Amino acid sequence: MSAPAVPEPAPGPRPEPTVPPPPDPAAALSLRGLWRRFGDKIAVAGVDLDVPSGSFFGLVGPNGAGKTTTLSMATGLLRPDFGTAHVLGTDLWAEPGVAKPRLGILPDGLRLFDRLTGAQLLTYAGLLHGLDRATVAARTEDLLAAMDLTGDRDTVVVDYSAGMTKKVSLACAMIHAPRVLVLDEPFEAVDPVSAANIRDILRRYVDDGGTVVVSSHVMDLVQRMCSHVAIIAGGHVLDTGTVDQVRGDQTLEDRFVELVGGRRQAGGLEWLRTSSD
């Protein structure tokens, strides 16, 4: 019997071997050499990134930049092809039982058990995290009040608005008192009032010693809300630091466009100009 054929390696560029710096044990998240490929497409290409503890950190980039893939690998939702992720000094993939309870995660497009009421969903999330029923009951009421959802505690989540759904999802991510919140596009499809309430809750969380990481492509929001930022495009971190360090004497949006490129002159649409009949 002939030996089985050795499969050909997948096409596409290979990561060049590099030795990333050691992870920062004081950082809330410390990512080193993260790579992830989907078929022929390299979504994340050697990301090194430190999120300082106690920061309000924005991860910004255009659609398809690798933000969601990076955050998924940083939080244990997706295993990297190469690289490591440390949460407050603990290797996420080597010691998930230690690292993951420190995280509260709100993924983009999260599917909920939306036939449960808001109170039931929070109770379910708390019990999944191993909290006792008395603690879950007390925290559920606290979070419903903080999110302005007490009046809708017995409404099934499928009947919630987009803003209410985001708020109850955030409450589920917070019920076990994590030290790091990682939120992917938390303000997408959220009305201005709900967005303002969510920002206030997150600022209080940071003021009390927590760390928040949010991904967004809304530069003005990140500039007003965050203390630190990283700009990512094409699976690479192009710049990172405090918001003031990254933007310099420009707006964050102008600095982003300068780094990412792609701005085009709006020409060739003369037919859109108003004209008399």
Side-chain angles (χ1 to χ4, degrees):
M1 180 180 296
S2 59
V6 177
E8 290 293 326
R14 299 289 190 277
E16 296 180 4
T18 59
V19 179
D24 181 356
L29 292 178
S30 190
L31 313 180
R32 292 293 181 268
L34 284 183
W35 285 79
R36 180 67 194 201
R37 177 200 301 239
F38 298 99
D40 294 343
K41 176 179 174 58
I42 294 180
V44 173
V47 163
D48 296 329
L49 185 66
D50 289 320
V51 175
S53 294
S55 65
F56 204 135
F57 196 99
L59 184 65
V60 301
N63 292 330
K67 301 187 300 295
T68 294
T69 302
T70 297
L71 293 184
S72 295
M73 292 189 288
T75 56
L77 298 177
L78 181 68
R79 185 177 289 276
D81 294 329
F82 305 95
T84 62
H86 285 72
V87 181
L88 294 165
T90 299
D91 189 322
L92 174 69
W93 292 100
E95 299 181 83
V98 177
K100 287 188 176 182
R102 298 172 177 173
L103 292 168
I105 308 170
L106 178 57
D108 186 30
L110 175 66
R111 297 292 299 272
L112 301 173
F113 293 105
D114 57 10
R115 297 293 175 177
L116 298 178
T117 68
Q120 289 171 338
L121 185 63
L122 278 170
T123 300
Y124 177 70
L127 293 176
L128 276 183
H129 282 289
L131 303 176
D132 63 80
R133 287 189 174 273
T135 299
V136 169
R139 291 186 182 181
T140 292
E141 297 307 319
D142 288 344
L143 285 165
L144 288 171
M147 302 290 176
D148 194 25
L149 292 172
T150 300
D152 296 285
R153 67 184 317 283
D154 297 321
T155 301
V156 291
V157 174
V158 71
D159 291 334
Y160 278 12
S161 68
M164 293 165 67
T165 301
K166 284 285 187 181
K167 288 192 290 186
V168 79
S169 300
L170 177 59
C172 288
M174 299 179 75
I175 195 166
H176 61 295
R179 295 176 61 186
V180 184
L181 279 174
V182 181
L183 315 175
D184 197 357
E185 299 287 359
F187 302 104
E188 191 173 33
V190 176
D191 66 88
V193 173
S194 293
N197 290 336
I198 291 172
R199 288 198 302 272
D200 289 343
I201 290 166
L202 295 179
R203 286 193 187 100
R204 289 199 300 270
Y205 174 81
V206 171
D207 289 343
D208 290 337
T211 303
V212 172
V213 183
V214 297
S215 76
S216 180
H217 51 261
V218 182
M219 299 301 116
D220 182 61
L221 179 67
V222 171
Q223 182 170 296
R224 289 186 289 110
M225 181 175 61
C226 295
S227 61
H228 294 69
V229 67
I231 296 176
I232 185 171
H236 299 274
V237 174
L238 303 183
D239 200 0
T240 186
T242 67
V243 170
D244 287 341
Q245 287 171 341
V246 170
R247 71 186 182 95
D249 58 359
Q250 309 176 75
T251 66
L252 185 60
E253 180 174 307
D254 287 342
R255 175 60 175 159
F256 172 83
V257 172
E258 178 182 84
L259 287 172
V260 173
R263 174 174 280 174
R264 296 175 176 84
Q265 295 296 323
L269 297 176
E270 290 78 6
W271 51 268
L272 277 175
R273 296 172 184 165
T274 35
S275 61
S276 57
D277 293 333

